[in-house]
Amino acid sequence: MVWDRFHFLCRRYHQLLQSGEVFREAVVSVESANGVELYGKPFEKDTIPSNLIFALKALSDPQQIKKITNIYGQLDFSNDLEEPPKLRKAKVYVTFVAIVFFMVYAIYQFFVTPVFISMFEAFQTAPTGYMAWYVNNWYLPIVVVFLCIAILFAICSQINKLYKFKVFSPDSVFYRFFIPNRIKNSYSNIIEIVSFPLSEEMNQPEQQKTIISRHLEQVENSDLITEIHILLRREGKNLAQYSEHFILSMMVVIFILIIISIFFFLSSAYAPIFMMGELV
């Protein structure tokens, strides 16, 4: 977990600062020591933990650094910010249903439809009704279902990046238009909560503060860790709930489209049988 490494680094920084070591020397000592890899891989670029460590290294006041590393060292974000298992299961389930749908559709298109068309040609008549629509537009259901599944997987990928704590650009088209506002707002709240110990020491302008920052500023230092945990746990549950509901809604849309496609598929499959009976 990415947060395990972050909290370990902060604990070690604080221990070395307590023993009188200079912060820059403590950073080199901790990050080059054996055993750091036990707490996870190095931070990826443009993630919240890497940005927090970068901001921490930019501070010059030893007392500030000591206070912040003490707070982060006692916190544990790992259990509060885990990707819901339902998101991973949703992708597997949709993939399975889609593969079955495309296989059946391919069998009908390449093995069954040519037989019916040749029978119509033998009777010197043209398909009508659902069969005529299917012959002329057989590719449309596949394209629509495929596009919806591609969008679902792209959204799942974006939500997965949220749980890897990526920092998204506000100019990202996909993030702006395809991710619901309540998911984005919940993620913004999480960033604000985990960043508070640092932002408090960086004299954030009053007009940029939200209700979360103002609330945590009023909390006594002894209770700050507890309040951060509580708020983060609640917001983590909100993010998981909003993500699950959104993915479920997308799955419902895809399944409705598949059911509609199956309706036209079956209608076009049975239509030639009845028409042949009338011709005979």
Side-chain angles (χ1 to χ4, degrees):
M1 290 291 294
V2 64
W3 289 112
D4 290 334
R5 185 184 182 95
F6 173 78
H7 293 305
F8 168 74
L9 291 177
C10 288
R11 287 194 299 272
R12 289 293 296 139
Y13 291 156
H14 184 71
Q15 290 170 1
L16 294 177
L17 288 172
Q18 287 286 81
S19 64
E21 193 165 337
V22 177
F23 180 59
R24 295 190 182 279
E25 295 177 357
V27 169
V28 175
S29 175
V30 171
E31 295 183 358
S32 61
N34 292 327
V36 179
E37 65 277 2
L38 297 175
Y39 295 87
K41 299 178 181 178
F43 301 127
E44 295 182 20
K45 186 180 179 181
D46 294 327
T47 58
I48 299 173
S50 66
N51 287 359
L52 291 176
I53 290 293
F54 182 81
L56 186 64
K57 292 177 180 178
L59 296 177
S60 57
D61 186 347
Q63 295 304 317
Q64 279 187 332
I65 298 172
K66 191 179 296 185
K67 176 184 175 182
I68 293 169
T69 53
N70 181 45
I71 293 173
Y72 280 128
Q74 295 182 65
L75 287 166
D76 182 7
F77 298 152
S78 301
N79 295 328
D80 298 326
L81 299 171
E82 289 186 343
E83 181 182 9
K86 289 183 181 179
L87 294 183
R88 293 189 292 269
K89 292 179 181 178
K91 291 188 288 187
V92 174
Y93 188 62
V94 170
T95 301
F96 174 76
V97 173
I99 289 173
V100 172
F101 171 73
F102 289 139
M103 287 179 61
V104 173
Y105 212 96
I107 291 171
Y108 183 76
Q109 172 62 24
F110 295 110
F111 295 100
V112 178
T113 301
V115 175
F116 284 127
I117 292 176
S118 63
M119 291 173 66
F120 277 109
E121 291 174 349
F123 283 99
Q124 297 183 341
T125 186
T128 60
Y130 288 123
M131 186 62 185
W133 185 92
Y134 178 82
V135 170
N136 295 322
N137 305 282
W138 64 270
Y139 57 89
L140 286 180
I142 294 178
V143 170
V144 172
V145 172
F146 178 81
L147 286 176
C148 289
I149 292 174
I151 292 173
L152 173 66
F153 272 70
I155 291 173
C156 285
S157 175
Q158 291 294 309
I159 292 177
N160 180 258
K161 289 179 181 179
L162 296 182
Y163 284 95
K164 291 182 178 179
F165 307 101
K166 293 281 187 179
V167 178
F168 289 92
S169 168
D171 297 325
S172 171
V173 175
F174 197 93
Y175 185 71
R176 286 175 61 190
F177 294 105
F178 287 88
I179 303 298
N181 284 333
R182 61 180 186 174
I183 292 179
K184 290 188 287 189
N185 292 338
S186 182
Y187 189 62
S188 296
N189 290 342
I190 287 173
I191 293 177
E192 184 173 2
I193 293 169
V194 301
S195 304
F196 177 77
L198 261 168
S199 61
E200 185 184 27
E201 301 297 330
M202 297 173 69
N203 298 319
Q204 186 182 20
E206 189 66 27
Q207 60 270 22
Q208 295 182 10
K209 295 179 181 179
T210 67
I211 187 173
I212 294 175
S213 295
R214 292 191 177 97
H215 166 69
L216 290 175
E217 283 178 349
Q218 298 171 2
V219 175
E220 297 291 336
N221 287 336
S222 58
D223 298 326
L224 181 60
I225 293 173
T226 301
E227 297 305 321
I228 288 177
H229 261 308
I230 293 172
L231 291 178
L232 192 61
R233 184 172 63 249
R234 288 178 59 85
E235 206 58 58
K237 288 181 179 179
N238 288 340
L239 179 62
Q241 184 180 15
Y242 297 154
S243 301
E244 289 174 355
H245 286 176
F246 181 61
I247 295 301
L248 180 60
S249 300
M250 287 289 298
M251 289 175 63
V252 169
V253 171
I254 290 174
F255 291 150
I256 289 174
L257 290 173
I258 289 177
I259 290 171
I260 293 173
S261 300
I262 291 173
F263 169 77
F264 283 108
F265 170 79
L266 293 176
S267 298
S268 63
Y270 281 100
I273 298 174
F274 295 116
M275 292 178 64
M276 292 302 171
E278 294 175 2
L279 292 173
V280 173

